[in-house]
Amino acid sequence: MLVVDPWHWLTEDGHFIADNPRLYRRMLRIARFIEYGGELDQREMRETLMECARRPKGKACPGLMWVVKTQKDEILAHCMICRNEEVLIHNWQKTEWAGGMMKPVPVSPDEGVLN
Ligand SMILES: [Zn+2]
């Protein structure tokens, strides 16, 4: 299982490293796990809408990922279908995704939507 400290894949001030597409995609997946799992209490879990990335026997696993908050306050992302434990994330607490989804903001008239 991959163990990730997201700060190794972010800029010093916590942003995505934009000029490395591979790293960006990997970190985006980690950020989504943090957004889903950060607000869980320890020993709680929830299903995400993120597809399992495994391809057992060359066929995409049909599972969706679950995130678990461990007793050490890490976020474990795993698939219940293929039993793959994809990643264990620690030191995520100060990332910008730790508090869950962005809070709603009103549409500003200059956005050009909802005309
Ligand atoms: Zn799977």
Side-chain angles (χ1 to χ4, degrees):
M1 177 179 36
L2 184 66
V3 177
V4 168
D5 177 341
W7 292 97
H8 294 168
W9 291 353
L10 293 168
T11 62
E12 254 175 55
D13 51 358
H15 296 117
F16 291 110
I17 297 171
D19 60 1
N20 183 333
R22 188 178 141 85
L23 190 61
Y24 173 79
R25 280 195 305 275
R26 295 182 82 181
M27 186 55 222
L28 190 56
R29 189 160 169 93
I30 299 298
R32 289 173 177 147
F33 287 138
I34 295 171
E35 189 174 270
Y36 274 112
E39 291 186 307
L40 296 173
D41 286 329
Q42 292 176 12
R43 304 181 59 82
E44 284 185 340
M45 59 198 280
R46 68 162 53 123
E47 190 180 35
T48 74
L49 292 171
M50 297 169 62
E51 291 144 315
C52 177
R54 274 286 163 97
R55 299 184 58 81
K57 294 177 186 155
K59 275 188 68 183
C61 171
L64 291 172
M65 300 303 293
W66 284 70
V67 285
V68 178
K69 181 70 76 62
T70 72
Q71 283 165 290
K72 292 182 177 173
D73 208 39
E74 303 146 326
I75 297 168
L76 171 67
H78 72 112
C79 172
M80 294 212 197
I81 303 294
C82 69
R83 300 276 163 193
N84 174 40
E85 295 190 338
E86 179 178 322
V87 63
L88 183 69
I89 306 162
H90 64 103
N91 198 22
W92 54 270
Q93 291 86 348
K94 293 198 169 107
T95 64
E96 66 177 292
W97 311 284
M101 285 178 72
M102 176 185 167
K103 299 292 172 257
V105 293
V107 175
S108 125
D110 15 291
E111 296 291 337
V113 291
L114 301 184
N115 288 329

